[in-house]
């Protein structure tokens, strides 16, 4: 299976900004990108940027699959 990424809210939150979540194997639950230091890169310092955008752009170039938010 290809590695996947998705924009989700933090666990337990119904409202608020979505952050990047990653899944590296099919049996693994979605985890925030910060749980994967081997893939994550520092966020942009711009105030209105989504958390994980820099990592998203990096992983997209590496061929990670994008899964629609649910």
């Amino acid at each position: 299976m290809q590695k996947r990424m998705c924009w989700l809210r933090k666990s337990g939150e119904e409202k608020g900004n979505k952050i990047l979540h990653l899944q590296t194997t099919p049996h693994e639950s979605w985890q925030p990108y910060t749980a994967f230091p081997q893939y994550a890169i520092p966020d942009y310092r711009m105030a209105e940027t989504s958390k994980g955008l820099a990592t998203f752009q990096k992983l997209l170039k590496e061929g990670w699959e994008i899964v629609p938010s649910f």
Side-chain angles (χ1 to χ4, degrees), residues 1-57:
M1 181 188 115
Q2 190 170 2
K3 296 174 182 170
R4 305 184 324 160
M5 52 187 171
C6 185
W7 294 97
L8 302 169
R9 289 185 178 84
K10 289 184 181 179
S11 181
E13 289 186 3
E14 291 184 26
K15 294 185 178 182
N17 294 331
K18 293 181 179 182
I19 65 170
L20 184 66
H21 282 67
L22 306 177
Q23 186 182 53
T24 58
T25 63
H27 300 13
E28 180 179 86
S29 62
W30 289 99
Q31 298 293 321
Y33 72 103
T34 53
F36 297 91
Q38 68 273 35
Y39 301 120
I41 60 174
D43 285 321
Y44 296 120
R45 295 182 188 253
M46 299 167 13
E48 297 193 23
T49 305
S50 297
K51 295 291 184 185
L53 180 59
T55 299
F56 173 84
Q57 292 172 328

